[in-house]
Every structure is written in C-alpha cells, then in structure tokens.
Amino acid sequence: PRIKPASNITIFRKTPDSRAIILSYKIDAVLEEELSSKDFTVVRLQNGEEAVHLASLYSPPCDLPYFNTMIDRVERHLTQRTFFAAGDLNARHRSWDVKSNPHGDAFRNFVDGQDFILWTSPTSTFLRTMNTEAGQITLGQSNIDVAFFSPDIIAESRFDTYLANSDHSQ
C-alpha cells in the first residue's frame, strides 16, 4: 500500500522510485529536474539572491564505476554552487570507519582534492542484522553514510536515530 505523506511535508524526487528529499512545507524549495536522476536528487532552496542546493545521493555497493560516475556528476553540477550533499555512498574509510573500501578511498581522495567539509556520524550508520528464533542479532555495523558540503555553509546538528525500521539508522 502507498503511504500518503503527512500534510506538513513535501517530498522531492524525480521519479517514484528515485532518491527523495523530504522537507517541511515551510521551506521554499524547487526540484532541480535537470540535475536529478534516480540515485541523485537535488533541490534548490532560494532565499532572495542566495541559493543552497541539497543533494541526496546513493551509490550501490561493489560498483566503483557507478560511484565514480556519481562523483563526476557532483563535481560537474554541485561544486560551482553552494550545496549540502548526503547519502548512502557505501563508502568506508579509516578516517570515519574501522576499515576502508574502494568507494571510501575514492571518496576520501575526492574530498581531499576539493574545498569541502566532510561530515560523518560518530556512530555506525548501517547495521547488518539477522532475525533468529531468540530475537534479532547484529552481525556487523559500519559507517557508510556520509555528508559533505560547501565551506561557506555553517552546519551544526546532533546525529539522532530516525527511521527505526531502516538498516541505516543514524
């Protein structure tokens, strides 16, 4: 069954199965259709002459060519704008997780070559679980969800649990 969104939010996505950005209806935002795709959703928040672009990104695990294409799109479409991007990049790196993978190495190199601010959760954001007769057990955890943004943005937040039924819970 399709769940109707609450009346005080707006869901931005290019197609019904693409990455989504969910904002309060009080925030004036526009979907950037030409920048968005199934796994790369961008909205523009306009305040007078100034704009901030929010991006929700996804890269499937074990697909480094796809990941590199996504990073190329970030570089081509977002780096000339003020932006805040976050998502499930399936990117692990020792600077924010216990080990590295090819996505994490590529992302770390990308961020280091730019003037971005990298923002990661202090706790694991992905939990691999299994249901057993005795209950649910955690098989592993990692920090594969990251955010990065333009240096002219001042951001502060408290990472908090959300979407309790999601395996990405931070």
Side-chain angles (χ1 to χ4, degrees):
R2 208 156 188 56
I3 299 172
K4 184 179 177 191
S7 62
N8 61 347
I9 64 168
T10 304
I11 299 174
F12 296 92
R13 57 180 11 153
K14 186 163 182 147
T15 64
D17 63 341
S18 64
R19 300 295 127 209
I21 295 177
I22 302 171
L23 298 173
S24 164
Y25 74 94
K26 295 178 182 179
I27 298 173
D28 189 20
V30 175
L31 176 66
E32 292 280 11
E33 290 264 353
E34 70 280 359
L35 301 182
S36 297
S37 66
K38 181 177 179 178
D39 296 328
F40 193 97
T41 299
V42 180
V43 297
R44 183 182 71 246
L45 308 178
Q46 194 76 39
N47 183 14
E49 295 294 314
E50 296 184 12
V52 174
H53 289 76
L54 298 179
S56 174
L57 312 173
Y58 173 74
S59 179
C62 304
D63 191 344
L64 193 57
Y66 187 98
F67 182 84
N68 289 330
T69 299
M70 183 193 68
I71 291 301
D72 287 344
R73 290 176 56 214
V74 167
E75 191 165 25
R76 202 169 51 249
H77 297 301
L78 294 180
T79 56
Q80 301 306 312
R81 298 170 165 91
T82 299
F83 76 92
F84 186 98
D88 176 3
L89 304 185
N90 283 295
R92 299 180 78 172
H93 194 271
R94 284 183 184 91
S95 59
W96 62 83
D97 198 10
V98 297
K99 66 179 183 176
S100 296
N101 67 10
H103 284 190
D105 291 337
F107 187 66
R108 181 82 247 187
N109 290 336
F110 172 68
V111 169
D112 287 347
Q114 304 291 330
D115 195 23
F116 302 144
I117 296 169
L118 179 64
W119 200 13
T120 60
S121 172
T123 60
S124 298
T125 61
F126 177 73
L127 303 175
R128 184 168 311 283
T129 59
M130 181 174 76
N131 291 320
T132 66
E133 287 185 24
Q136 190 176 56
I137 60 170
T138 299
L139 301 174
Q141 46 191 333
S142 59
N143 201 337
I144 59 175
D145 305 309
V146 297
F148 58 107
F149 51 94
S150 304
D152 50 339
I153 292 179
I154 298 170
E156 68 178 58
S157 181
R158 197 181 81 218
F159 280 92
D160 219 353
T161 300
Y162 69 96
L163 296 176
N165 62 347
S166 172
D167 55 4
H168 295 265
S169 63
Q170 292 291 318

